[in-house]
Amino acid sequence: NTMNQIIQDKMKKEVMVVINTALFSNTPRESKVYTSDEADFEKQILENYEFMVRGEAEENRNYKQPIPYSIVLSEKNEVFVYIRGGADSAAGDTRLHEKLSIGVGWHLEREEEGLKNPLKDGLVRELEEEVGLKNENVTDIFPIWYINDDRNDVGEVHIGVSYLVKTKNFSPIMEDGELAEWEFMSYDVLMQLVKSGKYNVETWTELLLPVLKEYI
């Protein structure tokens, strides 16, 4: 099965990790969304990162894998919302299948190492790959929150660095099957959809929705 092969290959790649003692050296470790005023995890990550084979990193509770998690807004301040593909798609992590999400996230691999700020500088390139976003569509990018959620197995070994990506004249293209359906929607419509219970909502999206309102 080629899909299993793709997943196995992903697990053999080296990804960025940060030891928890360095990550939480100045900030208490809690399951919450930290604002960029409360904590500067971006700085801690950039000063302390190393690389580990992803299969090992997923099992090693002493380290966290930083995940840039981009929330894309249209010029009308509508939020890019998508449903991840199901079990027969290329969605990388089976634990995230068929969930509604507002964040495009990824692991940082060894080739990002040469970038000045691997978290932020790899972002547009990754968004171009995932959803067809080009540099000329971007009007602003800044980190707004950090997501730490130790309540489940996935969250325990990851930390989200959530960037707000403001765009213009952008119409997403999704070809690789990981992201099944998408649309830009207003915050109110998005909240109605979430409350309808029609979709499972990705945990990080659930955590960010209440705090997103102040940016819209």
Side-chain angles (χ1 to χ4, degrees):
N1 181 333
T2 52
M3 194 47 61
N4 281 341
Q5 193 54 52
I6 290 169
I7 291 167
Q8 280 172 2
D9 290 347
K10 280 184 177 180
M11 287 300 162
K12 289 178 189 158
K13 289 195 166 179
E14 283 190 298
V15 294
M16 183 186 282
V17 295
V18 181
I19 196 161
N20 288 327
T21 47
L23 193 58
F24 297 102
S25 57
N26 303 330
T27 312
R29 180 175 176 176
E30 298 170 59
S31 285
K32 63 179 260 188
V33 175
Y34 297 82
T35 66
S36 48
D37 294 336
E38 278 177 284
D40 191 356
F41 287 124
E42 190 187 54
K43 182 172 186 280
Q44 300 293 10
I45 293 164
L46 294 174
E47 287 175 1
N48 296 287
Y49 71 82
E50 51 195 289
F51 290 88
M52 186 184 287
V53 172
R54 182 167 166 189
E56 290 171 29
E58 293 288 346
E59 302 297 325
N60 192 328
R61 300 279 179 263
N62 297 318
Y63 288 82
K64 277 190 180 271
Q65 302 161 65
I67 304 289
Y69 194 71
S70 297
I71 296 171
V72 179
L73 297 183
S74 72
E75 58 257 61
K76 293 180 193 158
N77 268 356
E78 291 179 326
V79 187
F80 174 67
V81 181
Y82 68 92
I83 313 297
R84 283 182 190 272
D88 56 350
S89 79
D93 196 323
T94 51
R95 297 167 292 193
L96 301 173
H97 281 164
E98 289 173 346
K99 293 202 168 170
L100 180 142
S101 178
I102 59 167
V104 183
W106 59 90
H107 287 79
L108 289 152
E109 292 176 355
R110 173 73 80 172
E111 51 264 33
E112 257 96 23
E113 197 176 9
L115 299 169
K116 186 167 168 236
N117 176 341
L119 294 169
K120 187 177 171 183
D121 298 344
L123 197 131
V124 175
R125 190 175 63 197
E126 189 67 31
L127 283 171
E128 179 162 10
E129 214 171 275
E130 294 280 346
V131 296
L133 181 70
K134 294 194 163 33
N135 253 320
E136 62 259 31
N137 301 124
V138 177
T139 55
D140 208 355
I141 298 179
F142 47 95
I144 39 180
W145 303 295
Y146 302 99
I147 312 152
N148 190 59
D149 184 13
D150 295 324
R151 297 171 304 173
N152 61 52
D153 292 348
V154 186
E156 215 179 340
V157 292
H158 295 92
I159 184 163
V161 182
S162 183
Y163 288 90
L164 203 62
V165 181
K166 296 191 164 192
T167 68
K168 60 176 187 201
N169 310 328
F170 171 50
S171 182
I173 308 159
M174 290 186 274
E175 290 166 356
D176 70 355
E178 174 164 343
L179 317 177
E181 304 162 43
W182 67 270
E183 62 180 285
F184 278 114
M185 56 178 75
S186 72
Y187 184 78
D188 294 341
V189 170
L190 170 56
M191 290 311 284
Q192 281 167 0
L193 185 65
V194 167
K195 288 181 181 136
S196 75
K198 187 180 167 194
Y199 292 103
N200 288 328
V201 179
E202 202 172 87
T203 313
W204 283 5
T205 288
E206 225 166 24
L207 287 168
L208 290 176
L209 279 170
V211 287
L212 180 61
K213 191 163 178 28
E214 66 181 280
Y215 286 95
I216 292 195

